[in-house]
Amino acid sequence: MRVLGVDPGLTRCGVGVVEGVAGRPLTMRGVGVVRTPADAELGPRLVAIERGIEQWLDEHRPEFVAVERVFSQHNVRTVMGTAQASAVAMLCAARRGIPVALHTPSEVKAAVTGSGRADKAQVGAMVTRLLRLDAPPKPADAADALALAICHIWRAPAKNRLQQAVQQQAALQASKGRSA
Amino acid sequence: MRVLGVDPGLTRCGVGVVEGVAGRPLTMRGVGVVRTPADAELGPRLVAIERGIEQWLDEHRPEFVAVERVFSQHNVRTVMGTAQASAVAMLCAARRGIPVALHTPSEVKAAVTGSGRADKAQVGAMVTRLLRLDAPPKPADAADALALAICHIWRAPAKNRLQQAVQQQAALQASKGRSA
């Protein structure tokens, strides 16, 4: 199973690709950050994020995309940008019929460290160990994207298969709609 | 000046096209709602909104897109969906180099009724009068989209010209980036 994890953000959107199955050693296929300038207009920033995500999808052909679920109890301004960046990532995946899964930050932390309240350093350390890397990926957004992908591989494989079937059906109907 | 107004939402995304200039009678070119089923997955819903917005852009070729600015002090669940739908609308416009303007609900109400705290019925009544329609557009999301377009035509024409120049430059650089 190849999963693209996306830690959404307008200024830094973390992306990481992990391959493997639950119960076996995992392999990192790529990690990076899609950046957009904070002083640019919102529209062109969303276009730049779309282009970045499309490149990652083209290059790595993931079977699943795992995106961090956005909550609005945090900083209002940041949360809006995060929701908008996550919408672009979900749109890019869904257009290709790739199933999108959302995982909360605490689900991701619990999956890779055993605690839903682990800090960034702990998540970075476990990602480094689980993927047998030489050092924690920087910035933290990149490490978080890998943690999301690992979380997705480890959580409910049966649920993934069901969701994949449902979304492929939806994509099929969408493409029928387009050609009609 | 032809403006597409977008009142963003996942379940009902209001769209309306108004043509005219400040100080002259305005003309409605089209009004409608892009709907997505509330029980569908988020990814395919965003794809359906993208397809709907693209059709409106193809058909009406607006010079500006005016989108309601989303705030997060309202219902948390609704606001996330609204932010995501607005991101798709902004993305569609910016990809074509069409300048996107954001107006707050109170700016829109003040523009068409004279009061930033006007209710839906009052906004609907003024949209009907200003566009010389036989009846208020239904649902309210459609009327709000027309009000957004009217608000944009009436607010700061000089600001629009500046923004258009900036965004066309950004689109030019974006297309250079793609072909590089």
Side-chain angles (χ1 to χ4, degrees):
Chain A
M1 185 193 295
R2 195 181 306 124
V3 178
L4 170 67
V6 178
D7 182 31
L10 281 181
T11 307
R12 288 185 310 276
C13 189
V15 280
V17 180
V18 178
E19 198 172 86
V21 292
R24 302 273 292 276
L26 303 171
T27 308
M28 182 181 82
R29 293 294 176 207
V31 65
V33 179
V34 176
R35 293 173 195 271
T36 76
D39 58 352
E41 296 266 345
L42 187 50
R45 293 182 82 179
L46 296 173
V47 174
I49 291 171
E50 179 187 45
R51 202 180 319 136
I53 297 289
E54 289 287 346
Q55 283 172 355
W56 279 83
L57 293 174
D58 281 341
E59 189 172 340
H60 293 280
R61 307 268 158 203
E63 295 146 279
F64 296 92
V65 172
V67 182
E68 188 176 295
R69 189 184 289 278
V70 183
F71 289 107
S72 82
Q73 53 260 45
H74 310 302
N75 179 294
V76 169
R77 213 185 136 79
T78 310
V79 154
M80 287 295 132
T82 308
Q84 288 160 339
S86 77
V88 172
M90 287 187 278
L91 177 68
C92 291
R95 267 198 309 236
R96 297 175 185 227
I98 303 172
V100 178
L102 300 172
H103 301 288
T104 67
S106 55
E107 284 168 350
V108 174
K109 289 172 187 175
V112 301
T113 75
S115 164
R117 291 181 295 170
D119 63 15
K120 293 234 169 257
Q122 206 178 337
V123 171
M126 282 308 296
V127 164
T128 308
R129 184 178 306 170
L130 293 167
L131 299 176
R132 289 152 292 136
L133 308 177
D134 295 328
K138 295 265 176 64
D141 314 78
D144 286 347
L146 291 171
L148 265 157
I150 295 169
C151 170
H152 187 75
I153 291 171
W154 284 354
R155 291 187 81 207
K159 185 181 152 203
N160 290 343
R161 283 195 295 273
L162 177 63
Q163 194 185 21
Q164 194 171 32
V166 169
Q167 291 222 1
Q168 280 173 348
Q169 189 63 30
L172 196 69
Q173 287 173 345
S175 67
K176 275 182 190 163
R178 256 197 302 279
S179 62
Chain B
M1 186 193 293
R2 196 180 305 125
V3 178
L4 170 67
V6 179
D7 182 32
L10 280 180
T11 307
R12 288 186 310 276
C13 190
V15 280
V17 179
V18 178
E19 197 171 87
V21 292
R24 302 273 294 275
L26 304 170
T27 307
M28 181 180 83
R29 293 293 177 207
V31 65
V33 179
V34 176
R35 293 172 195 274
T36 75
D39 59 352
E41 295 267 346
L42 187 49
R45 293 182 82 179
L46 296 173
V47 173
I49 290 171
E50 179 186 46
R51 201 180 320 136
I53 297 289
E54 289 287 347
Q55 283 173 354
W56 279 82
L57 294 174
D58 281 341
E59 190 172 341
H60 292 281
R61 306 270 159 199
E63 294 144 280
F64 295 92
V65 172
V67 181
E68 187 176 295
R69 189 184 290 278
V70 183
F71 289 105
S72 82
Q73 55 259 47
H74 310 302
N75 180 293
V76 169
R77 213 185 137 78
T78 309
V79 154
M80 287 295 132
T82 308
Q84 288 160 337
S86 78
V88 172
M90 287 187 276
L91 177 68
C92 291
R95 268 197 308 235
R96 296 176 185 227
I98 303 172
V100 179
L102 300 172
H103 301 288
T104 67
S106 55
E107 283 168 350
V108 174
K109 289 172 187 173
V112 301
T113 74
S115 164
R117 291 181 295 171
D119 62 16
K120 293 234 171 256
Q122 206 177 337
V123 170
M126 282 308 296
V127 164
T128 308
R129 184 176 307 168
L130 293 167
L131 299 176
R132 289 154 289 137
L133 308 176
D134 295 328
K138 295 266 175 66
D141 315 77
D144 286 347
L146 291 170
L148 266 156
I150 295 170
C151 171
H152 187 75
I153 291 171
W154 284 354
R155 291 188 82 210
K159 185 182 149 202
N160 290 342
R161 284 195 295 273
L162 177 65
Q163 193 185 20
Q164 194 170 33
V166 169
Q167 291 223 1
Q168 280 173 347
Q169 189 63 28
L172 195 69
Q173 287 173 346
S175 68
K176 276 181 190 162
R178 255 196 302 279
S179 61

